[in-house]
Amino acid sequence: MVEGVASQAGVKTASDEGEDAPEQWEEWLEALFPAYVGEPFGDRHKRFWNWLWDIGPNESPRPYVGIYPRGGGKSTTAELATCALGLRDVCDYAVYVQKTQSDANDAISNIQKLIESAQVERYYPAHSKPEVGKYGNTRGWSMERLRTEGGFAVDALGLNSAFRGAKVDESRPDLVILDDIDHKHDSADMTRKKLQTIKDSIMQAVSDTGSVVIGMQNLIHPNGIFARLEDGRADFLQRRIVDGPHPAVEDLETERQKDEGTGNYRDVIVGGTPTWEGQDLEDCQTRINESGLDSFIRECQNEVKEREGALWSSACLSAVRVGPEETPEFQRIVVGVDPAGGTDEVGIVVAGLSFSGTAYVLDDRSVDSAVGPNRWGQIVRDAYDYWRADAVLGETNYGGTMIKNTVQGTAGQTVNFNEVTATRGKQVRAEPVAALYGGSDVGFEDSQVKHAGSFHALEKQMTSWVPGDSDSPDRLDALVWALTDLLIESNNRSPSLIV
């Protein structure tokens, strides 16, 4: 038991009274906190609770770092885990760390509500009551500290307060919870200060006789603490288990559709599989409606990485985005095609050139190459017909003849085919196209390219590919062919072939 926290003589521990609680974690949670576990557990939740349930007193398991989507049960899981380790006498003293003191205090308030419940009193009556001093004064419940009569204590610690000195020296915590410690607007200096506090103040203060460390957050900052824990840049918690990052929806597909009620266009989920029943497609669609697709991608899909050296950024792509209803008439429309090379996809991207000279990315119909040539050839022809395109662009020195034959298909449709030849490397081809998107110093207002809607998979390749990479993302290649034709080589196009 923690010295100075619950050493009062005569205090009974939770194991001395109360009914016997269920032994297995799922039954235990359902018995003690039924209102919080109404939805079936997802695979990530099961892995976490199996890990936690194997921990015994005075043990130091590998730290667990869970990277869950917003709305995916991360903070609730962390708060329930704090209760489980404390009520079952596995840990005596927890430090609950969040980015601000106010957030940490709210977490303590949530934990207090959990352990004051009638269900906790039934199984762990001593823990359901605050610690009482020798003169009968209640001293266990406060805004920043929770102490139970059963000997469990939890302190709230905000990293903004901890900069003035983390006050954990009076006792040695055997449980550290790092919950939502990153902020999307953290500067490099702020992240450095947070790391210093965690490593030099908090982790240096943990118990020598055993300690448990749990981290829970979604990825909201490409250079934040959890991003560093996930990709290996963090040099602390070196034995950590990293579970994630998990998206809310696997294989998410969206498209811009006109809302019949408002007459405006909005992003609608048209494909994908939820990773947890408690956050289904309806819930995800509501989040997109309320906060926008870009926010959903960051907060719920855990996609915030913009690799250093990438030619495009999320800020750039957001700045050049317009709604499909804002597109003008076009003087030329092309379908760029790049067959599966470095990836398992056939890149199929449609772009058009307006009479004002601005190019618009209109459609991404890229498809898994496993569908076979007949199927992806039909998809190219469908895009060509739907957009009334002027040409299909295909690389002649990488399957050019194959592309022409595949696009023509067995039906013998007439398709205007332009041969393009890769005489330069991808970096040399892509950099002039990236330059067309304008400069960050003027907010990309000088961009010669607009994106008519959101193209999630394509834009992910754009912000993650770095010149020199050995892989060859085919959606990006198809985009480069299309924009090169429209804006860079408009006066020097290859002869057209009717196939």
Side-chain angles (χ1 to χ4, degrees):
M1 194 165 296
V2 176
E3 183 179 355
V5 174
S7 58
Q8 180 183 346
V11 171
K12 293 183 178 180
T13 65
S15 59
D16 292 331
E17 52 184 315
E19 297 180 24
D20 291 336
E23 294 184 359
Q24 301 303 314
W25 63 263
E26 192 162 2
E27 289 79 8
W28 188 90
L29 288 170
E30 291 173 351
L32 273 80
F33 307 110
Y36 295 86
V37 293
E39 299 291 344
F41 293 94
D43 290 342
R44 60 178 178 264
H45 305 120
K46 293 176 182 178
R47 285 192 298 271
F48 171 76
W49 284 103
N50 284 331
W51 168 84
L52 182 139
W53 222 247
D54 285 339
I55 302 171
N58 301 319
E59 292 183 356
S60 295
R62 294 175 60 191
Y64 179 94
V65 177
I67 303 177
Y68 298 177
R70 180 172 294 280
K74 51 187 177 57
S75 290
T76 299
T77 298
E79 291 164 1
L80 289 173
T82 303
C83 294
L85 293 170
L87 297 179
R88 295 167 53 249
D89 295 328
V90 175
C91 296
D92 294 324
Y93 176 30
V95 175
Y96 205 106
V97 185
Q98 288 208 328
K99 56 183 174 289
T100 69
Q101 189 62 51
S102 175
D103 290 337
N105 292 349
D106 288 343
I108 294 297
S109 177
N110 293 337
I111 293 171
Q112 177 184 336
K113 293 175 184 176
L114 289 171
I115 65 176
E116 283 182 328
S117 69
Q119 291 92 339
V120 170
E121 184 177 14
R122 174 183 174 184
Y123 296 106
Y124 305 99
H127 281 315
S128 68
K129 295 174 285 189
E131 183 188 39
V132 178
K134 65 180 181 179
Y135 297 109
N137 57 306
T138 300
R139 62 181 186 179
W141 280 198
S142 72
M143 184 178 297
E144 298 181 3
R145 170 166 284 185
L146 181 154
R147 300 182 183 183
T148 74
E149 185 180 293
F152 181 50
V154 187
D155 273 350
L157 182 59
L159 287 177
N160 61 337
S161 301
F163 297 155
R164 297 188 294 271
K167 298 179 180 179
V168 295
D169 292 336
E170 61 192 65
S171 301
R172 306 277 283 180
D174 55 2
L175 173 59
V176 175
I177 306 290
L178 304 174
D179 180 18
D180 278 350
I181 57 178
D182 287 319
H183 191 280
K184 67 183 67 177
H185 299 306
D186 281 347
S187 64
D189 186 59
M190 178 64 71
T191 298
R192 181 188 61 80
K193 289 180 179 178
K194 288 182 177 181
L195 283 167
Q196 185 176 7
T197 297
I198 292 171
K199 295 195 295 183
D200 296 352
S201 298
I202 298 173
M203 299 313 303
Q204 290 290 342
V206 298
S207 173
D208 294 329
T209 60
S211 60
V212 181
V213 180
I214 298 171
M216 288 282 182
Q217 176 141 23
N218 55 332
L219 292 181
I220 60 173
H221 194 303
N223 293 304
I225 296 171
F226 270 74
R228 295 165 187 252
L229 288 167
E230 186 267 331
D231 64 19
R233 285 178 289 165
D235 63 354
F236 70 106
L237 303 182
Q238 294 189 5
R239 298 179 59 248
R240 60 187 175 271
I241 298 168
V242 178
D243 195 346
H246 297 286
V249 182
E250 290 183 338
D251 302 321
L252 174 69
E253 296 180 20
T254 65
E255 65 179 34
R256 296 281 288 180
Q257 296 181 0
K258 191 171 185 178
D259 189 297
E260 295 182 358
T262 65
N264 298 323
Y265 282 83
R266 64 187 182 94
D267 296 293
V268 177
I269 297 175
V270 296
T273 304
T275 59
W276 177 42
E277 291 185 35
Q279 192 173 25
D280 58 17
L281 291 183
E282 182 178 355
D283 176 81
C284 293
Q285 184 63 63
T286 299
R287 291 176 181 272
I288 292 175
N289 293 342
E290 293 176 349
S291 62
L293 180 60
D294 287 347
S295 176
F296 180 81
I297 296 300
R298 289 192 303 270
E299 297 281 346
C300 300
Q301 294 296 95
N302 280 316
E303 293 185 13
V304 299
K305 291 185 177 180
E306 294 178 4
R307 290 180 60 198
E308 185 176 353
L311 298 179
W312 288 269
S313 68
S314 295
C316 165
L317 299 179
S318 294
V320 304
R321 195 180 319 283
V322 298
E325 71 279 6
E326 300 178 60
T327 56
E329 292 185 0
F330 298 103
Q331 57 175 300
R332 180 174 172 82
I333 295 177
V334 296
V335 182
V337 180
D338 194 88
T343 68
D344 295 324
E345 293 180 319
V346 178
I348 306 170
V349 174
V350 182
L353 182 65
S354 71
F355 285 94
S356 66
T358 299
Y360 288 76
V361 180
L362 300 173
D363 202 353
D364 177 14
R365 299 201 180 190
S366 303
V367 64
D368 193 316
S369 62
V371 301
N374 289 338
R375 177 62 182 140
W376 68 254
Q378 182 62 56
I379 291 171
V380 173
R381 293 193 298 273
D382 289 345
Y384 179 87
D385 292 338
Y386 178 86
W387 289 101
R388 298 181 181 178
D390 297 280
V392 172
L393 311 175
E395 186 179 344
T396 57
N397 54 336
Y398 189 87
T401 303
M402 179 270 289
I403 296 176
K404 288 187 290 185
N405 294 337
T406 302
V407 169
Q408 183 180 21
T410 57
Q413 292 101 324
T414 298
V415 175
N416 189 22
F417 187 87
N418 279 186
E419 297 179 346
V420 291
T421 303
T423 59
R424 302 171 295 171
K426 180 194 289 283
Q427 175 175 348
V428 180
R429 300 197 308 272
E431 285 178 340
V433 173
L436 297 171
Y437 282 73
S440 59
D441 55 333
V442 293
F444 306 99
E445 293 182 1
D446 57 340
S447 175
Q448 299 177 57
V449 182
K450 301 291 184 183
H451 282 210
S454 299
F455 307 102
H456 172 58
L458 168 62
E459 293 173 358
K460 181 179 179 181
Q461 289 188 0
M462 295 173 71
T463 57
S464 61
W465 182 80
V466 173
D469 281 355
S470 59
D471 65 321
S472 181
D474 296 297
R475 295 172 192 259
L476 176 56
D477 280 349
L479 172 78
V480 168
W481 290 130
L483 294 181
T484 298
D485 175 274
L486 296 176
L487 293 173
I488 296 177
E489 297 183 355
S490 57
N491 296 321
N492 188 32
R493 295 192 182 100
S494 302
S496 298
L497 300 176
I498 304 300
V499 297

